Amino acid sequence: MAANESGDGDQIDFMEFQEELVGSSSNIDDTKFDTTIGHIEDIIMEDGFQKMQSDFMEQHYHHFDDDEENKFIYTDIHKQYLSLVEKYLEEQLVVRMPGFAMEAFSTQLEKRKKKKKESLDGEIFEILLTFSDFLAFKEMFLDYKAEKEGRTVDLSAGFIVTPYQEPSTSQQDNSASKQLSEK
C-alpha cells in the first residue's frame, strides 16, 4: 500500500485500502472458513466430544449387526446422531466464534464441495463425512460393537516396551578404549 500524499509513510491511502478490502473478500471468507475448520478439529479431539460420541454409541451399539441388509432402526439412530453432533458442534462454535451460523457454514461447505473438490481433502473432511455418511456411520458402530464384545485383534501382545537407558559413562569409556585397542 502506498503512503498518502502528505508523505507520511505511517498513514495508509484510504481509497487504496478499501480497494484491497473489496478485492480480498474471498480471502476473508477463506480465513473464516479455515478458522471454523480449525475449531471443529479442536472440538472433535476434546474429551467432551469424545465422551458424547462414546455415550451415544454405548447406548445404541447393540442394535447393529454385520449384515448386508440394514434395519430401519439404523436410520433413526443415524438421524439422532447427526442431530446430536450438529447441535454439539454448533454450540461449541458459537462459544468460540460469536456470531457463528451453522447454516452459513454449511452453505459455504457445499459451495466448496461443488466448486473445488481438492480443497476439501484432509483428515478433518473425512471425519466430517463420517458424521453424515450412513455406511461410515454403520461401520463405526460395528467396530465399536466388535471392540465391546472382544472380537478385535489385539496386536499389543507381541510388543514389549522397555525404557531406554543411557549407557553409563564408565561403559562408554570402556567401549571407547576397547575400540582404540582394536585399531
Side-chain angles (χ1 to χ4, degrees):
M1 286 182 217
N4 69 6
E5 307 204 351
S6 68
D8 185 356
D10 293 337
Q11 293 187 359
I12 299 170
D13 183 305
F14 187 69
M15 292 301 288
E16 189 175 319
F17 178 69
Q18 280 183 322
E19 288 173 15
E20 246 182 68
L21 275 180
V22 169
S24 69
S25 67
S26 66
N27 290 338
I28 293 169
D29 289 343
D30 289 345
T31 300
K32 189 173 182 178
F33 182 82
D34 292 343
T35 300
T36 304
I37 292 298
H39 285 304
I40 291 172
E41 286 178 324
D42 292 343
I43 292 165
I44 64 176
M45 298 307 288
E46 292 172 354
D47 292 340
F49 182 85
Q50 297 294 319
K51 181 170 179 9
M52 182 258 325
Q53 187 176 42
S54 178
D55 289 349
F56 187 85
M57 288 194 294
E58 183 66 30
Q59 184 179 359
H60 297 287
Y61 79 91
H62 63 278
H63 293 290
F64 288 82
D65 294 314
D66 196 5
D67 296 333
E68 283 188 36
E69 198 156 321
N70 294 317
K71 299 176 185 176
F72 288 119
I73 194 167
Y74 297 175
T75 304
D76 294 336
I77 295 170
H78 187 234
K79 286 178 183 175
Q80 289 174 29
Y81 181 73
L82 285 175
S83 176
L84 182 70
V85 167
E86 189 172 303
K87 182 179 181 232
Y88 187 88
L89 286 174
E90 186 170 17
E91 287 171 355
Q92 292 296 313
L93 287 167
V94 166
V95 168
R96 296 161 196 240
M97 301 173 67
F100 174 80
M102 182 62 87
E103 193 173 307
F105 175 72
S106 297
T107 301
Q108 192 174 28
L109 189 60
E110 282 301 315
K111 258 198 272 185
R112 287 169 178 263
K113 196 185 321 182
K114 289 176 186 173
K115 190 176 174 183
K116 35 183 174 166
K117 271 204 181 291
E118 71 278 351
S119 71
L120 298 181
D121 286 341
E123 191 174 336
I124 185 63
F125 296 106
E126 290 175 26
I127 292 170
L128 290 174
L129 179 63
T130 63
F131 295 148
S132 60
D133 181 75
F134 177 77
L135 293 177
F137 168 79
K138 181 181 176 186
E139 190 64 34
M140 178 178 71
F141 267 89
L142 292 174
D143 290 346
Y144 186 83
K145 184 175 185 175
E147 185 178 323
K148 291 293 286 183
E149 295 175 350
R151 293 183 287 118
T152 57
V153 178
D154 183 9
L155 299 175
S156 66
F159 292 108
I160 299 173
V161 179
T162 57
Y164 173 74
Q165 293 180 345
E166 196 68 44
S168 68
T169 52
S170 62
Q171 286 177 337
Q172 288 175 347
D173 291 344
N174 288 341
S175 176
S177 62
K178 190 178 194 182
Q179 287 176 352
L180 286 175
S181 64
E182 291 175 354
K183 290 183 180 180

